[in-house]
Amino acid sequence: MDLNEVVKDVTQLLSTEVSAHNIETEFNLNDAPVTGMLDEASIRAATLNLMLNAVQAMSTGGRLTVSTGKDNGDLWMSIRDTGTGMTPEQIKHLFEPFNTTKSRGLGLGMPYAQKIIQQHGGQIVVESRPGAGTQVKIELPANGGTN
């Protein structure tokens, strides 16, 4: 599967939400396909969760930047928002089930995304500062974690 195609598909799914929140989108997708042996439905669901979180963090508008690439046989995707950002304490609890800062939501999106990425032998790295937005970077082995 190609991460570029996943980004395009998920963006289309979220287009109404993006427009409603007055969000600008920017895509820095790798010129060549970013392909790997991955479970497409799972990666698509994880990407949807991560991009939806970014959109919801920018309730009064902002910029969503999604980038993809391939380094030394590893695939990566970066989802960056200019939203509210998170404190170090919030980041520490980000992957705990039922932990949420939203008025609506179960707090299962991030733990679910993390589980999918880990099942593929990858990792999620989160960088954020209050008032400065958040970047979530997914790193995945191109072989899907199989040897």
Side-chain angles (χ1 to χ4, degrees), residues 23-72:
I23 295 170
E24 293 176 40
T25 54
E26 180 180 329
F27 300 98
N28 302 311
L29 304 183
N30 200 56
D31 291 336
V34 182
T35 56
M37 296 296 294
L38 306 168
D39 179 65
E40 189 167 348
S42 297
I43 296 297
R44 188 179 301 271
T47 303
L48 178 62
N49 273 301
L50 297 173
M51 286 179 67
L52 186 58
N53 281 350
V55 168
Q56 290 174 343
M58 300 182 284
S59 58
T60 58
R63 175 178 289 273
L64 173 67
T65 306
V66 184
S67 308
T68 60
K70 210 170 190 175
D71 295 321
N72 303 322

Side-chain angles (χ1 to χ4, degrees), residues 11 17 31-32 39 54 62 66 75 82 95 107 110 112 115 117-118 121 128 133 147:
T11 302
E17 191 97 6
D31 291 336
D39 179 65
V66 184
L75 315 177
T82 58
F95 297 108
M110 292 303 288
Y112 174 75
K115 181 178 181 192
I117 301 308
Q118 288 176 341
S128 187
N147 293 324

